[in-house]
């Protein structure tokens, strides 16, 4: 099904699921759009960037890489994007890319071009199980034990965060745990 054009953009370059809704990165406006209530909603632009490269949700926030500066931006609600870092600082090139993103072992990873480097970000305590679950129903439990987070599957501990300072984070259970609303 053709869902239409996204303003004057000629490419939809990246896709991510955030809060259960499809988000799409574009060229040449450097904007992100979200499919919401049967139409595309503009979620804003990455500064003066031209293209939204890889996107991924990490610890509840949507992140995206950019071209031409090779920076990473974080969605902070409505149409607000915060530049977290410029990752590729290669001199004398026209385009720098914060190219692809992946989450592993509780951290967000981003590859860059032309430098060819991989950068990692840990945005607060996070624990991930980086394997496929077996078919059928599984019992998954998340536990905060002292200064670490643990993840258990079917009664066995499968992952553990690095130690952190609990007093620096809001760790109440008022927010509902979401399963199936996208990776991470």
């Amino acid at each position: 099904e053709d869902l239409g054009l996204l303003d004057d953009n000629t490419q939809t370059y990246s896709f991510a699921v955030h809060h259960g809704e499809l988000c799409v990165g574009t060229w040449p406006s450097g904007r992100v759009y979200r499919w919401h209530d049967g139409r595309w909603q503009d979620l804003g632009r990455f500064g003066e960037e031209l293209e939204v490269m890889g996107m991924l949700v990490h610890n509840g926030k949507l992140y995206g890489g950019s071209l031409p500066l090779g920076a990473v931006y974080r969605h902070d609600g409505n149409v607000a994007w915060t530049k977290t870092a410029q990752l590729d600082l290669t001199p004398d090139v026209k385009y720098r890319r914060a190219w692809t993103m992946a989450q592993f072992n509780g951290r967000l990873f981003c590859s860059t071009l032309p430098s060819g480097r991989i950068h990692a970000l840990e945005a607060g305590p996070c624990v991930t199980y980086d394997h496929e679950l077996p078919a059928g129903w599984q019992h998954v439990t998340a536990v905060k034990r002292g200064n670490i987070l643990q993840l258990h599957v079917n009664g066995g501990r499968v992952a553990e965060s690095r130690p952190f300072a609990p007093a620096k984070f809001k760790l109440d259970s008022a927010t509902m745990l979401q399963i199936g609303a996208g990776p991470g």
Side-chain angles (χ1 to χ4, degrees):
E1 179 181 349
D2 184 350
L3 299 178
L5 295 174
L6 298 171
D7 296 329
D8 293 331
N9 293 289
T10 57
Q11 295 178 25
T12 52
Y13 202 84
S14 55
F15 301 85
V17 174
H18 187 233
H19 295 301
E21 296 181 310
L22 178 65
C23 296
V24 178
T26 62
W27 163 274
S29 74
R31 292 184 167 283
V32 175
Y33 294 82
R34 172 176 61 191
W35 185 252
H36 181 74
D37 288 337
R39 65 179 184 83
W40 290 110
Q41 178 183 37
D42 186 348
L43 287 184
R45 184 173 184 185
F46 286 15
E48 296 299 314
E49 299 286 353
L50 301 176
E51 185 167 1
V52 177
M53 305 296 288
M55 289 193 303
L56 195 76
V57 175
H58 173 65
N59 220 357
K61 292 281 192 170
L62 179 61
Y63 289 83
S66 73
L67 175 144
L69 290 181
V72 173
Y73 288 78
R74 180 188 65 236
H75 186 240
D76 287 328
N78 297 321
V79 295
W81 290 89
T82 300
K83 182 177 171 183
T84 63
Q86 182 174 344
L87 300 181
D88 198 315
L89 301 172
T90 305
D92 305 320
V93 296
K94 184 174 182 178
Y95 294 126
R96 297 171 189 88
R97 295 168 171 87
W99 189 257
T100 58
M101 294 190 171
Q103 183 169 260
F104 179 75
N105 202 22
R107 297 189 299 165
L108 174 67
F109 290 85
C110 182
S111 64
T112 59
L113 286 174
S115 68
R117 297 188 188 283
I118 298 174
H119 302 263
L121 168 73
E122 187 172 31
C126 183
V127 63
T128 61
Y129 182 58
D130 304 310
H131 306 279
E132 182 177 347
L133 291 171
W137 287 96
Q138 308 302 316
H139 183 253
V140 178
T141 306
V143 176
K144 177 192 160 289
R145 182 163 286 132
N147 65 344
I148 60 169
L149 300 177
Q150 296 176 333
L151 194 60
H152 300 260
V153 176
N154 298 325
R157 187 174 67 218
V158 296
E160 187 172 280
S161 72
R162 292 191 270 193
F164 64 96
K168 292 184 177 183
F169 298 95
K170 182 180 177 187
L171 297 173
D172 64 17
S173 59
T175 303
M176 296 293 293
L177 175 65
Q178 294 185 356
I179 298 175

Short mmCIF file of all heavy atoms in Angstrom, two decimals, residues 128-165:
data_model
loop_
_atom_site.label_atom_id
_atom_site.label_comp_id
_atom_site.label_asym_id
_atom_site.label_seq_id
_atom_site.Cartn_x
_atom_site.Cartn_y
_atom_site.Cartn_z
N THR A 128 19.83 -5.94 28.34
CA THR A 128 19.21 -6.53 27.14
C THR A 128 19.57 -8.00 27.05
O THR A 128 20.63 -8.43 27.49
CB THR A 128 19.70 -5.83 25.85
OG1 THR A 128 21.12 -5.99 25.73
CG2 THR A 128 19.33 -4.36 25.84
N TYR A 129 18.67 -8.76 26.48
CA TYR A 129 18.92 -10.17 26.15
C TYR A 129 19.06 -10.20 24.64
O TYR A 129 18.10 -9.98 23.91
CB TYR A 129 17.76 -11.04 26.63
CG TYR A 129 17.98 -12.51 26.35
CD1 TYR A 129 19.09 -13.18 26.86
CD2 TYR A 129 17.06 -13.23 25.61
CE1 TYR A 129 19.28 -14.53 26.62
CE2 TYR A 129 17.25 -14.58 25.37
CZ TYR A 129 18.35 -15.23 25.88
OH TYR A 129 18.54 -16.56 25.63
N ASP A 130 20.26 -10.44 24.16
CA ASP A 130 20.58 -10.26 22.75
C ASP A 130 20.51 -11.56 21.95
O ASP A 130 21.32 -11.81 21.08
CB ASP A 130 21.97 -9.62 22.63
CG ASP A 130 22.04 -8.31 23.40
OD1 ASP A 130 21.15 -7.47 23.20
OD2 ASP A 130 22.97 -8.14 24.21
N HIS A 131 19.51 -12.36 22.28
CA HIS A 131 19.30 -13.65 21.61
C HIS A 131 17.81 -13.84 21.34
O HIS A 131 16.98 -13.24 22.01
CB HIS A 131 19.80 -14.80 22.48
CG HIS A 131 21.22 -14.64 22.92
ND1 HIS A 131 22.29 -14.95 22.12
CD2 HIS A 131 21.75 -14.18 24.08
CE1 HIS A 131 23.41 -14.70 22.75
NE2 HIS A 131 23.11 -14.22 23.94
N GLU A 132 17.50 -14.69 20.40
CA GLU A 132 16.11 -15.02 20.10
C GLU A 132 15.55 -15.89 21.23
O GLU A 132 16.22 -16.80 21.71
CB GLU A 132 16.05 -15.78 18.78
CG GLU A 132 14.65 -16.12 18.34
CD GLU A 132 14.65 -16.82 16.98
OE1 GLU A 132 15.68 -16.81 16.29
OE2 GLU A 132 13.60 -17.37 16.63
N LEU A 133 14.31 -15.60 21.63
CA LEU A 133 13.65 -16.44 22.64
C LEU A 133 13.11 -17.69 21.95
O LEU A 133 12.74 -17.66 20.77
CB LEU A 133 12.50 -15.67 23.29
CG LEU A 133 12.90 -14.51 24.20
CD1 LEU A 133 11.67 -13.72 24.61
CD2 LEU A 133 13.63 -15.01 25.43
N PRO A 134 13.03 -18.80 22.69
CA PRO A 134 12.45 -20.01 22.10
C PRO A 134 10.98 -19.78 21.74
O PRO A 134 10.32 -18.87 22.25
CB PRO A 134 12.56 -21.04 23.23
CG PRO A 134 13.53 -20.48 24.21
CD PRO A 134 13.49 -18.99 24.05
N ALA A 135 10.47 -20.63 20.87
CA ALA A 135 9.05 -20.54 20.48
C ALA A 135 8.17 -20.80 21.70
O ALA A 135 8.55 -21.50 22.62
CB ALA A 135 8.75 -21.56 19.39
N GLY A 136 6.97 -20.20 21.69
CA GLY A 136 6.01 -20.42 22.77
C GLY A 136 6.13 -19.38 23.87
O GLY A 136 6.90 -18.43 23.80
N TRP A 137 5.34 -19.58 24.93
CA TRP A 137 5.31 -18.65 26.05
C TRP A 137 6.60 -18.74 26.84
O TRP A 137 7.12 -19.83 27.09
CB TRP A 137 4.13 -18.96 26.97
CG TRP A 137 2.82 -18.57 26.37
CD1 TRP A 137 1.96 -19.36 25.69
CD2 TRP A 137 2.24 -17.28 26.41
NE1 TRP A 137 0.87 -18.65 25.28
CE2 TRP A 137 1.00 -17.36 25.71
CE3 TRP A 137 2.63 -16.05 26.93
CZ2 TRP A 137 0.17 -16.27 25.55
CZ3 TRP A 137 1.78 -14.97 26.77
CH2 TRP A 137 0.58 -15.09 26.09
N GLN A 138 7.11 -17.58 27.26
CA GLN A 138 8.32 -17.50 28.07
C GLN A 138 8.04 -16.64 29.29
O GLN A 138 7.23 -15.70 29.23
CB GLN A 138 9.48 -16.89 27.27
CG GLN A 138 9.75 -17.54 25.94
CD GLN A 138 10.06 -19.02 26.05
OE1 GLN A 138 10.83 -19.43 26.93
NE2 GLN A 138 9.49 -19.84 25.18
N HIS A 139 8.69 -16.93 30.39
CA HIS A 139 8.56 -16.14 31.60
C HIS A 139 9.77 -15.20 31.68
O HIS A 139 10.91 -15.65 31.82
CB HIS A 139 8.52 -17.06 32.84
CG HIS A 139 8.30 -16.32 34.11
ND1 HIS A 139 9.31 -16.14 35.03
CD2 HIS A 139 7.20 -15.72 34.62
CE1 HIS A 139 8.84 -15.45 36.05
NE2 HIS A 139 7.57 -15.18 35.84
N VAL A 140 9.53 -13.88 31.54
CA VAL A 140 10.61 -12.89 31.54
C VAL A 140 10.45 -12.00 32.77
O VAL A 140 9.36 -11.48 33.04
CB VAL A 140 10.56 -12.02 30.25
CG1 VAL A 140 11.65 -10.96 30.27
CG2 VAL A 140 10.67 -12.90 29.02
N THR A 141 11.54 -11.83 33.50
CA THR A 141 11.51 -11.03 34.72
C THR A 141 12.67 -10.03 34.70
O THR A 141 13.81 -10.41 34.42
CB THR A 141 11.66 -11.92 35.97
OG1 THR A 141 10.67 -12.95 35.93
CG2 THR A 141 11.50 -11.12 37.24
N ALA A 142 12.38 -8.77 35.00
CA ALA A 142 13.40 -7.74 35.15
C ALA A 142 13.52 -7.42 36.63
O ALA A 142 12.51 -7.21 37.30
CB ALA A 142 13.03 -6.50 34.35
N VAL A 143 14.75 -7.38 37.15
CA VAL A 143 14.98 -7.19 38.57
C VAL A 143 16.05 -6.12 38.76
O VAL A 143 17.07 -6.12 38.07
CB VAL A 143 15.47 -8.51 39.22
CG1 VAL A 143 15.81 -8.31 40.69
CG2 VAL A 143 14.45 -9.61 39.04
N LYS A 144 15.81 -5.21 39.73
CA LYS A 144 16.87 -4.30 40.19
C LYS A 144 17.37 -4.88 41.51
O LYS A 144 16.61 -5.05 42.45
CB LYS A 144 16.35 -2.90 40.41
CG LYS A 144 17.41 -1.95 40.97
CD LYS A 144 16.77 -0.66 41.43
CE LYS A 144 17.63 0.08 42.39
NZ LYS A 144 17.74 -0.53 43.73
N ARG A 145 18.63 -5.22 41.54
CA ARG A 145 19.23 -5.79 42.74
C ARG A 145 20.43 -4.94 43.11
O ARG A 145 21.47 -5.01 42.46
CB ARG A 145 19.64 -7.24 42.49
CG ARG A 145 20.23 -7.90 43.72
CD ARG A 145 20.27 -9.42 43.64
NE ARG A 145 18.91 -9.92 43.83
CZ ARG A 145 18.33 -10.83 43.03
NH1 ARG A 145 18.98 -11.33 42.02
NH2 ARG A 145 17.10 -11.23 43.27
N GLY A 146 20.23 -4.06 44.12
CA GLY A 146 21.31 -3.16 44.53
C GLY A 146 21.64 -2.17 43.43
O GLY A 146 20.79 -1.37 43.03
N ASN A 147 22.84 -2.26 42.88
CA ASN A 147 23.27 -1.31 41.85
C ASN A 147 23.40 -1.95 40.47
O ASN A 147 24.17 -1.48 39.64
CB ASN A 147 24.58 -0.65 42.27
CG ASN A 147 25.73 -1.63 42.32
OD1 ASN A 147 25.53 -2.84 42.34
ND2 ASN A 147 26.95 -1.11 42.37
N ILE A 148 22.64 -3.02 40.23
CA ILE A 148 22.62 -3.64 38.90
C ILE A 148 21.19 -4.00 38.52
O ILE A 148 20.32 -4.15 39.37
CB ILE A 148 23.51 -4.91 38.83
CG1 ILE A 148 23.04 -5.94 39.85
CG2 ILE A 148 24.98 -4.60 39.01
CD1 ILE A 148 23.68 -7.30 39.67
N LEU A 149 20.96 -4.11 37.22
CA LEU A 149 19.71 -4.61 36.69
C LEU A 149 19.97 -6.02 36.16
O LEU A 149 21.03 -6.28 35.59
CB LEU A 149 19.20 -3.73 35.54
CG LEU A 149 18.93 -2.27 35.87
CD1 LEU A 149 18.52 -1.52 34.61
CD2 LEU A 149 17.86 -2.14 36.94
N GLN A 150 19.00 -6.89 36.36
CA GLN A 150 19.13 -8.26 35.88
C GLN A 150 17.90 -8.62 35.05
O GLN A 150 16.80 -8.12 35.30
CB GLN A 150 19.25 -9.25 37.03
CG GLN A 150 20.48 -9.06 37.87
CD GLN A 150 20.51 -9.99 39.06
OE1 GLN A 150 19.47 -10.42 39.56
NE2 GLN A 150 21.71 -10.31 39.53
N LEU A 151 18.12 -9.49 34.08
CA LEU A 151 17.04 -10.01 33.26
C LEU A 151 17.07 -11.53 33.37
O LEU A 151 18.13 -12.15 33.23
CB LEU A 151 17.23 -9.57 31.81
CG LEU A 151 16.06 -9.73 30.87
CD1 LEU A 151 14.86 -8.92 31.34
CD2 LEU A 151 16.45 -9.30 29.47
N HIS A 152 15.90 -12.10 33.65
CA HIS A 152 15.76 -13.55 33.81
C HIS A 152 14.77 -14.07 32.77
O HIS A 152 13.74 -13.43 32.52
CB HIS A 152 15.24 -13.89 35.21
CG HIS A 152 16.13 -13.42 36.31
ND1 HIS A 152 17.01 -14.24 36.97
CD2 HIS A 152 16.31 -12.19 36.86
CE1 HIS A 152 17.67 -13.55 37.88
NE2 HIS A 152 17.26 -12.30 37.84
N VAL A 153 15.07 -15.21 32.19
CA VAL A 153 14.16 -15.88 31.27
C VAL A 153 13.95 -17.29 31.79
O VAL A 153 14.91 -18.04 31.99
CB VAL A 153 14.71 -15.91 29.82
CG1 VAL A 153 13.79 -16.71 28.91
CG2 VAL A 153 14.88 -14.50 29.28
N ASN A 154 12.68 -17.63 32.04
CA ASN A 154 12.30 -18.96 32.55
C ASN A 154 13.09 -19.34 33.80
O ASN A 154 13.53 -20.47 33.96
CB ASN A 154 12.46 -20.01 31.45
CG ASN A 154 11.54 -19.72 30.28
OD1 ASN A 154 10.43 -19.24 30.45
ND2 ASN A 154 12.02 -19.97 29.08
N GLY A 155 13.29 -18.36 34.69
CA GLY A 155 13.93 -18.61 35.97
C GLY A 155 15.44 -18.52 35.98
O GLY A 155 16.05 -18.58 37.05
N GLY A 156 16.06 -18.38 34.82
CA GLY A 156 17.52 -18.29 34.78
C GLY A 156 17.98 -16.89 34.41
O GLY A 156 17.40 -16.25 33.53
N ARG A 157 19.02 -16.39 35.09
CA ARG A 157 19.56 -15.06 34.77
C ARG A 157 20.29 -15.14 33.43
O ARG A 157 21.19 -15.94 33.25
CB ARG A 157 20.49 -14.57 35.86
CG ARG A 157 20.92 -13.11 35.63
CD ARG A 157 21.73 -12.55 36.75
NE ARG A 157 23.00 -13.22 36.82
CZ ARG A 157 23.64 -13.54 37.94
NH1 ARG A 157 23.12 -13.24 39.11
NH2 ARG A 157 24.79 -14.17 37.91
N VAL A 158 19.87 -14.28 32.48
CA VAL A 158 20.45 -14.29 31.13
C VAL A 158 21.25 -13.03 30.82
O VAL A 158 22.00 -13.02 29.85
CB VAL A 158 19.36 -14.51 30.05
CG1 VAL A 158 18.72 -15.89 30.21
CG2 VAL A 158 18.31 -13.41 30.09
N ALA A 159 21.06 -11.97 31.61
CA ALA A 159 21.79 -10.72 31.34
C ALA A 159 21.82 -9.89 32.61
O ALA A 159 20.95 -10.00 33.48
CB ALA A 159 21.12 -9.94 30.22
N GLU A 160 22.87 -9.04 32.67
CA GLU A 160 23.05 -8.18 33.83
C GLU A 160 23.70 -6.89 33.37
O GLU A 160 24.59 -6.89 32.52
CB GLU A 160 23.96 -8.92 34.83
CG GLU A 160 24.12 -8.24 36.15
CD GLU A 160 24.85 -9.15 37.13
OE1 GLU A 160 24.20 -10.04 37.70
OE2 GLU A 160 26.07 -8.97 37.30
N SER A 161 23.24 -5.76 33.90
CA SER A 161 23.83 -4.46 33.56
C SER A 161 25.16 -4.28 34.27
O SER A 161 25.50 -5.02 35.19
CB SER A 161 22.88 -3.32 33.95
OG SER A 161 22.84 -3.17 35.37
N ARG A 162 25.85 -3.26 33.85
CA ARG A 162 27.04 -2.85 34.59
C ARG A 162 26.56 -2.12 35.85
O ARG A 162 25.46 -1.57 35.87
CB ARG A 162 27.90 -1.94 33.73
CG ARG A 162 28.52 -2.70 32.56
CD ARG A 162 29.55 -1.88 31.88
NE ARG A 162 28.92 -1.10 30.82
CZ ARG A 162 29.59 -0.49 29.89
NH1 ARG A 162 30.90 -0.50 29.88
NH2 ARG A 162 28.97 0.19 28.96
N PRO A 163 27.38 -2.08 36.90
CA PRO A 163 26.98 -1.36 38.12
C PRO A 163 26.72 0.12 37.82
O PRO A 163 27.36 0.72 36.96
CB PRO A 163 28.19 -1.53 39.05
CG PRO A 163 28.88 -2.75 38.55
CD PRO A 163 28.67 -2.76 37.06
N PHE A 164 25.75 0.71 38.54
CA PHE A 164 25.40 2.12 38.38
C PHE A 164 25.01 2.68 39.73
O PHE A 164 24.85 1.94 40.70
CB PHE A 164 24.27 2.29 37.35
CG PHE A 164 22.97 1.65 37.77
CD1 PHE A 164 21.98 2.40 38.39
CD2 PHE A 164 22.73 0.31 37.54
CE1 PHE A 164 20.77 1.83 38.77
CE2 PHE A 164 21.53 -0.28 37.92
CZ PHE A 164 20.56 0.48 38.55
N ALA A 165 24.85 3.99 39.79
CA ALA A 165 24.46 4.67 41.04
C ALA A 165 22.94 4.88 41.03
O ALA A 165 22.45 5.82 40.42
CB ALA A 165 25.18 6.01 41.15
#
